[in-house]
Every structure is written in C-alpha cells, then in structure tokens.
Amino acid sequence: MPITTESPKTSPSRRKPPSLGALSLAAAGMALAVLLIGSGTFLWLGESGGGGSVSIGGPFTLTEGSGKQVTDRDFRGKYLLVYFGYTYCPDVCPTTLNEVATAMDKLGPKAARLQPLFITVDPARDTPDVVKAFTAAFSPKLIGLTGTQAEIATVAREYRVYYAINRTDKGSNNYTVDHSSVLYLMGPDGKFIAPIRTDETGTEIAATISKYVS
Ligand code: NI
C-alpha cells in the first residue's frame, strides 16, 4: 500500500492506481523511501539503507486563518486529521478536502471529537486570508494553517512530508508544489495513530477513522 505523491504534471487523475513499490522522495538533500507496512506503521529507509520506525508529528506553532497563532497543544483532547497541501493545487488537494468534508458528515456524533487540519506547504502564497477562504469552501469545521517558511519546514519535517517547488514558467507565481499526499490521524494526546490514503472516498475515510475514534 504505497503512499502516493502528487505531482500535477504526472497525475492527471487521482483515481489512478498507485505504482507498486516505494516512492523515492528527495527532500532536503536526503532521499527517503517510504513504505507503509501493515496497518499504520511507517518504515522510513534512509539513502544509506538504514531504517526503522520513527515518530510522526510533533510540536508546531502556526497561524490560523484569523491571523491567530496556534500550537499543537491547542488541539489536545481532540483527534486530528492532518493534511498537507496548498490552495493553488489543481487537483489532489481540493479533491481530498472534499472527501474529508464528506467523511466529517458520515462520522455523525464522532465528528465532534475530530478536528481536520489543512497545513499549507506554500506559505508564500497561502497567507492566512487565502487559507481561510480556501478551507471555508470545503467545511466550516476545517481549520487551515500557514506560517513562516521555517515554521512550515519544521512541521513538514515532523510529519515526514515531502514538498518541492516546481517552476512552470518565469515569474514568481508561476509554480506548482509537488507534495506527498497523506491524511494523518493523530490522537487526543498528539500522538500519531494511522495514515489514511487520500485516494479513499469520504465514506472509506470515515470508516477508517471510526475504528480508532471511540
Ligand atoms: Ni495538492
């Protein structure tokens, strides 16, 4: 069950079956192969061939759509469904967030225990206002977060998220952002519970979440 990395140039359809085997990801000068083993255990293999289970998630300080600073601790006591993407994403991000909104509807009373978060990997364009308008289009429950380049780099590293700017033309705004596309289910204690694939439907996402959220 490989994790898909979205690249607008190569994935016109999100329903395309993911390729077999691990994806090679180049991030921060380090190539990582990502394998998903069994139900919910990540194995991260470094370029040198070393490997082992590593933690997913960690402390962050980011900015909400209202401009307010929030930290990971502000969400303690709630399950989190964390997704990294960007508002200019042509395909996978909006589709995924649509399915997240559907999942929230399907969860019924359990939805009250779950906070979906969208964290941008394109903070240069995704200002708090932009993120707020974007998330509001999917669900009033969805909170969008942005930050400085350094803050985003930190949280992305903690969640093992790969992202890279892909210039499409001259001009500062002419780029897409390739990024890994995974939903992270986190516990009320802030600890990682399980990854959820973004090619699942909202109904499937809700069913997976239901297994973990009491
Ligand atoms: Ni995207």
Side-chain angles (χ1 to χ4, degrees):
M1 194 163 87
I3 290 167
T4 54
T5 299
E6 95 180 55
S7 169
K9 278 206 297 199
T10 56
S11 56
S13 164
R14 65 183 277 274
R15 292 288 174 195
K16 193 173 64 175
S19 60
L20 291 172
L23 286 163
S24 288
L25 306 176
M30 180 172 56
L32 296 171
V34 183
L35 301 173
L36 183 59
I37 297 172
S39 56
T41 307
F42 278 101
L43 181 70
W44 303 87
L45 300 173
E47 201 168 31
S48 62
S53 293
V54 294
S55 65
I56 306 271
F60 60 76
T61 301
L62 295 168
T63 305
E64 247 188 63
S66 64
K68 191 179 85 173
Q69 279 217 327
V70 294
T71 76
D72 56 296
R73 305 200 70 81
D74 293 323
F75 300 107
R76 287 293 185 280
K78 287 230 171 184
Y79 289 86
L80 297 180
L81 189 62
V82 183
Y83 184 66
F84 289 80
Y86 68 115
T87 71
Y88 289 76
C89 181
D91 182 6
V92 177
C93 289
T95 311
T96 299
L97 293 174
N98 255 327
E99 299 304 328
V100 167
T102 302
M104 291 299 285
D105 290 340
K106 302 267 179 193
L107 273 169
K110 287 184 179 179
R113 303 208 58 205
L114 183 75
Q115 176 60 60
L117 296 181
F118 168 78
I119 302 177
T120 184
V121 291
D122 184 14
R125 290 186 296 195
D126 288 345
T127 60
D129 281 349
V130 170
V131 167
K132 187 180 183 180
F134 180 70
T135 54
F138 298 98
S139 166
K141 294 168 187 155
L142 179 64
I143 291 179
L145 299 173
T146 185
T148 64
Q149 294 284 357
E151 286 166 345
I152 295 299
T154 296
V155 70
R157 192 164 54 241
E158 288 170 345
Y159 280 80
R160 317 288 156 174
V161 167
Y162 155 82
Y163 65 104
I165 285 181
N166 179 20
R167 293 242 158 247
T168 51
D169 205 343
K170 292 183 181 127
S172 59
N173 277 329
N174 290 327
Y175 63 88
T176 58
V177 185
D178 293 348
H179 63 94
S180 48
S181 189
V182 180
L183 289 159
Y184 300 88
L185 182 62
M186 311 297 287
D189 56 0
K191 298 248 165 59
F192 172 68
I193 295 177
I196 300 174
R197 289 173 53 150
T198 54
D199 59 354
E200 293 191 354
T201 64
T203 304
E204 290 166 336
I205 292 168
T208 303
I209 292 169
S210 274
K211 284 194 284 187
Y212 297 103
V213 176
S214 49

